[in-house]
Amino acid sequence: MAASSPPPGVESLSKPVQQLVINGEQVAEKYIYRNTDDGPISASFPVTEIPIIDLGLLTSSSPTGESELEKLRSALSSWGCFQAINHGMESSFLDKVREATKEFFALPMEEKQKYSRTLEDIEGYGNDTVFTEHQTLDWTDRLYLLVRPEDQRKLKLWPENPETFRDTLNEYTEKLGQLTEIVLKAMAKSLSLEDSCFLDHCREGALMYTRFNLYPVCPRPDVILGLKPHADGSTITFLLQDKEVEGLQVLKDDKWVGVPVIPQALLINLGDQSELTSNGIFKSLVHRVVTNSERERISVATFLLPHPDMEIEPANGLVNEQRPRLYKRVKNYVSLFFHNYQQGKRPIDTLKI
């Protein structure tokens, strides 16, 4: 998840995990995940079929299109995510995005550090901001970039090496922008709302961040997580998974299940702001990433967020006597995310009526 800047009182930035691995350093206590409420950490949880939605059918007014809309509503109500196929991107292009990600993280540390983030800004290369000495750190390095609005891009943080990186990211952003409209309109339609209900939140001044993730080989996958359990603070999130290495797990019916890799698919999941707008009909996806003792893993996550000044509240058409309003109105929801995430809390719970 992304935000424009961390809260005051930040202490320090943690060292790149990749550097710890290369140096053969002993795993520090701060990476050991001790929340036993989440059950054991294991990559061997069952891999479960996630609903698959054909985006090409969502814009069709045929009976097949109506059926796909119903599938979408069901997926977002029970899972909070789906595997998107027929999204208009060639498999070869998705491979290009993955390759650019791998090539960046394979650069020498000095080269990557040209794009390092600072304490004052979430954007750039790095990883967890350390708020407290008791904070559990994630076993991941990342490159966070604001990609929309274009006039707010910090191009000094956009890698020039590999040479294809900037053009590839620019093209990927354009294509996701087109998908955003299709998905948000379909979400509204599936709830019998105006087409623009979700889309209006993500028009004028909306933010789109892309986060390139590296999960290095981990010596203790039994006690270390790549990402702590959380739900995104976004409206929706697009995730391009590693083509070969699994690691994403989602919470379904209070049990962790693995998400299978479908190389040509994009995993699209809802963030808290969609759960709020749908008055709790749609669910934002609680998920985590497990680590691997043999293979590193990459992924690319893109988060779509309303402008911080945009007020978000349950849609009027979804509030009635049978289903009263569940959440308060909120602005700049993502500002709640940082501290809640590091404390293992869900910010959306603070908005329940």
Side-chain angles (χ1 to χ4, degrees), residues 319-324:
V319 177
N320 51 47
E321 286 185 14
Q322 290 75 36
R323 191 176 188 86

Side-chain angles (χ1 to χ4, degrees), residues 259-272:
V259 176
V261 171
I262 302 178
Q264 74 278 16
L266 287 172
L267 184 81
I268 299 180
N269 71 267
L270 295 191
D272 285 346

Side-chain angles (χ1 to χ4, degrees), residues 101-239:
T101 306
K102 289 178 181 176
E103 288 178 13
F104 171 75
F105 286 115
L107 292 172
M109 195 59 67
E110 315 79 68
E111 179 72 17
K112 290 195 287 283
Q113 285 174 337
K114 290 179 185 176
Y115 309 103
S116 289
R117 57 166 294 203
T118 63
L119 285 174
E120 294 74 36
D121 192 357
I122 194 69
E123 281 191 75
Y125 168 70
N127 49 24
D128 285 354
T129 302
V130 181
F131 293 100
T132 72
E133 59 181 313
H134 304 297
Q135 179 180 322
T136 304
L137 301 182
D138 294 327
W139 192 262
T140 182
D141 294 334
R142 46 183 91 106
L143 174 67
Y144 253 132
L145 297 171
L146 177 77
V147 294
R148 280 192 169 177
E150 288 187 31
D151 62 2
Q152 292 180 32
R153 291 177 176 178
K154 296 175 183 170
L155 291 176
K156 66 180 182 183
L157 297 175
W158 285 46
E160 295 180 279
N161 187 5
E163 289 182 2
T164 58
F165 189 96
R166 291 186 173 193
D167 285 345
T168 302
L169 177 54
N170 200 44
E171 187 178 350
Y172 188 54
T173 302
E174 288 298 317
K175 291 178 185 294
L176 290 183
Q178 294 162 17
L179 290 188
T180 294
E181 187 154 341
I182 293 170
V183 173
L184 294 184
K185 279 184 176 179
M187 284 165 54
K189 199 171 179 183
S190 77
L191 293 171
S192 302
L193 298 170
E194 290 287 323
D195 280 5
S196 61
C197 178
F198 291 94
L199 197 56
D200 282 348
H201 297 165
C202 299
R203 280 187 167 140
E204 196 66 39
L207 306 176
M208 188 182 273
Y209 286 88
T210 293
R211 189 182 74 201
F212 300 85
N213 305 302
L214 173 74
Y215 302 98
V217 168
C218 178
R220 294 294 309 277
D222 57 321
V223 291
I224 294 175
L225 284 170
L227 275 183
K228 292 183 283 293
H230 69 286
D232 294 339
S234 58
T235 299
I236 58 172
T237 302
F238 298 92
L239 182 72

